[in-house]
Amino acid sequence: MAIIHSATLTPSKPALIGAWLDGRPWAGQGPDEVLGAYRFDDPEGEVGVEAFLVRRGDRLLHVPLTYRGAPLAGHEEHLVGTLEHSVLGPRWVYDGTRDGVALACFRRALAGEQDQAELEIHEGGRVVGRRAQQVVVSREAEEGDAGAGAAQGGQVLIPHVLDAEAEGRSRLRARCGDLQVVVAVLT
């Protein structure tokens, strides 16, 4: 269960993402439009894992992020930025394609062992509602892929640019309105 706090974020997530994308040669140029997001739960409950679908100019991008309460040693080059969360305090935000916690979540999802997180809204330490999914993620596998054990081998690929559908024996397909794109594969 992903906990969504009624909170103020400074800078906002779209502003943080846009500033980071400005420095990525693969991101293209143009105005950013966040189409939606989905989350996975960290089994340890320590790291937030959230992925955004962003249209930037003529490019469709996939931006997985992790949120941490402290810097991740040795990952300075993968730091997207920091933000201030009015409930949780400072958050260090990392490129989820380079963070082991996010990669493990994607691997479990590709194996059929983890679903995307349900979204609970918390205020003052209590649940006040649920948020509908903006993006629905589902697993697709080749015939004969048994799931759990099949994910032990292979490489998890999480593309940032979604201009071509990635191929793999197991795929995660994200649906957002009329948009359907493969956001991760297990080769």
Side-chain angles (χ1 to χ4, degrees):
M1 185 67 59
I3 297 172
I4 311 294
H5 295 278
S6 293
T8 302
L9 302 176
T10 308
S12 68
K13 291 176 187 178
L16 185 73
I17 291 168
W20 183 69
L21 290 175
D22 286 343
R24 308 298 110 187
W26 46 260
Q29 297 181 357
D32 296 333
E33 177 188 4
V34 175
L35 303 175
Y38 63 96
R39 292 178 180 240
F40 288 116
D41 284 328
D42 167 19
E44 303 296 321
E46 294 296 319
V47 177
V49 179
E50 184 174 28
F52 294 84
L53 296 177
V54 178
R55 187 165 308 283
R56 178 174 250 231
D58 63 351
R59 292 230 165 135
L60 180 60
L61 305 174
H62 182 228
V63 184
L65 301 175
T66 57
Y67 308 110
R68 294 175 168 272
L72 181 59
H75 281 73
E76 295 79 12
E77 67 188 78
H78 306 300
L79 181 68
V80 171
T82 58
L83 56 80
E84 186 65 31
H85 189 289
S86 64
V87 174
L88 301 175
R91 301 283 102 183
W92 283 259
V93 183
Y94 291 91
D95 177 358
T97 67
R98 303 291 188 217
D99 188 314
V101 171
L103 290 169
C105 288
F106 277 95
R107 181 173 289 279
R108 284 189 298 274
L110 286 160
E113 298 172 343
Q114 181 171 0
D115 293 324
Q116 76 184 91
E118 295 296 320
L119 307 175
E120 275 188 354
I121 301 170
H122 286 221
E123 190 172 300
R126 62 184 177 84
V127 178
V128 296
R130 296 193 185 277
R131 183 180 293 170
Q133 301 289 354
Q134 297 174 311
V135 176
V136 176
V137 178
S138 59
R139 177 180 181 264
E140 299 173 349
E142 290 181 352
E143 191 173 325
D145 181 351
Q152 295 305 315
Q155 181 179 2
V156 175
L157 299 175
I158 305 170
H160 278 116
V161 180
L162 301 176
D163 56 3
E165 193 162 291
E167 295 292 325
R169 59 188 170 143
S170 180
R171 295 163 299 284
L172 291 183
R173 183 171 300 277
R175 292 173 175 81
C176 180
D178 293 335
L179 179 67
Q180 293 189 35
V181 290
V182 172
V183 294
V185 298
L186 182 66
T187 60

